[in-house]
Amino acid sequence: MINEQYIASHGLKECLYAFCGAGNGSIDAKMFTLKTEFFHLAQKMLYGGFLQVGDDYEIYIRTVEFYYHEEEESENQIQDPIVYHRNGRFPGRDLPPFPMMCLHAHWSGYDITFEDSCGRYRASALIREFAVFDRHAGEHGSWVYWFTGEDYGDGCYKTVPEPKFDDRSTYLQFFLNGFSIDGTTNRVIWKDFKSPEYGQPTVKTRRNVFLDKEKKVPCDRPWAYRRDDLLYSLR
């Protein structure tokens, strides 16, 4: 069971490997398991480290949304049809599981994946809101933000004195890129803090997720988590 004691003594990779799905109980029991473990995994992602892109950028997550879909049909199956990477998306072909802790780029941004290696369930965390530290901006590096609008034309990359949080999740493509295909070590890695201080993220529902798209019934699963204090205090 992933709890606060576990995340305090393990890195994010170990925490994601420790996730074993929702279990085999009733729907209510399975949903309780997911709510509990997602909360602690969110603590790890929001307070426990950052994504480092080469020697250039540090990506700090402020809001994360979890997605979970079980492939095996059963009376207590948990379905999450909005999941991009699942069977049924490509008729006649089952999708192989993503490797643990890889980045999945799609129309909504970037997921950090932790799917079952046997394909029984899909699990991922979408980076919904973030802040960027540019190690080469200014004399000692600086927080940066991509401004758009009438005053900036196509956009303006500017330094800012403190983290300016961006909920345009697809804008991560400006910083989170440069993946190696030549067999060398990938330049994008997760860096755990040595002595993180875990706060209590605000629990929210996922943005633009509907149980019934035609009837516009929003999904009420509490699988989104937001950090409300300042990120730069952890640098």
Side-chain angles (χ1 to χ4, degrees):
M1 185 71 174
I2 301 171
N3 53 33
E4 199 148 343
Q5 291 72 36
Y6 191 88
I7 66 170
S9 57
H10 296 81
L12 177 60
K13 184 176 181 179
E14 295 171 300
C15 292
L16 293 180
Y17 267 111
F19 179 80
C20 297
N24 298 311
S26 66
I27 286 287
D28 288 343
K30 292 169 71 173
M31 294 297 284
F32 179 80
T33 296
L34 293 176
K35 178 182 177 181
T36 302
E37 298 206 355
F38 285 168
F39 180 86
H40 295 302
L41 290 176
Q43 285 183 300
K44 195 69 182 177
M45 294 179 183
L46 302 181
Y47 298 90
F50 61 94
L51 283 163
Q52 181 175 318
V53 186
D55 191 40
D56 301 314
Y57 305 113
E58 298 172 7
I59 310 295
Y60 293 83
I61 305 173
R62 192 190 191 190
T63 302
V64 64
E65 295 179 352
F66 287 86
Y67 293 82
Y68 177 84
H69 176 79
E70 295 177 342
E71 296 287 13
E72 296 180 353
E73 294 185 6
S74 70
E75 182 181 358
N76 295 324
Q77 178 188 12
I78 295 178
Q79 299 185 54
D80 205 4
I82 198 170
V83 169
Y84 289 111
H85 189 250
R86 62 175 176 81
N87 297 340
R89 289 283 188 179
F90 299 89
R93 178 175 182 266
D94 289 346
L95 296 181
F98 277 134
M100 178 64 67
M101 207 174 172
C102 72
L103 288 172
H104 173 211
H106 51 71
W107 293 274
S108 297
Y110 287 85
D111 285 341
I112 299 173
T113 68
F114 51 109
E115 299 185 356
D116 174 55
S117 60
C118 297
R120 291 170 296 188
Y121 61 79
R122 313 291 180 170
S124 62
L126 172 66
I127 303 171
R128 178 60 81 178
E129 189 177 8
F130 62 94
V132 178
F133 186 84
D134 186 335
R135 292 183 167 191
H136 303 299
E139 186 176 356
H140 303 291
S142 177
W143 297 100
V144 295
Y145 186 82
W146 191 275
F147 288 90
T148 58
E150 293 181 1
D151 296 334
Y152 302 100
D154 291 334
C156 182
Y157 177 68
K158 296 184 65 175
T159 61
V160 288
E162 60 184 34
K164 185 172 177 60
F165 306 111
D166 201 333
D167 64 358
R168 301 168 299 180
S169 52
T170 58
Y171 276 44
L172 269 176
Q173 64 184 288
F174 293 121
F175 310 99
L176 194 56
N177 50 35
F179 303 101
S180 173
I181 60 172
D182 66 358
T184 58
T185 303
N186 201 312
R187 69 192 295 263
V188 181
I189 59 174
W190 175 267
K191 297 283 287 186
D192 288 303
F193 289 124
K194 291 183 179 179
S195 301
E197 297 181 8
Y198 295 105
Q200 300 294 308
T202 299
V203 181
K204 305 167 70 69
T205 55
R206 300 175 297 179
R207 197 172 77 191
N208 299 327
V209 178
F210 298 92
L211 293 175
D212 188 324
K213 284 189 176 182
E214 292 184 359
K215 297 181 180 179
K216 296 294 183 181
V217 179
C219 179
D220 60 355
R221 293 174 180 173
W223 290 355
Y225 304 88
R226 183 176 188 266
R227 176 177 179 159
D228 293 316
D229 57 329
L230 294 177
L231 291 174
Y232 69 82
S233 63
L234 285 180
R235 289 206 73 257

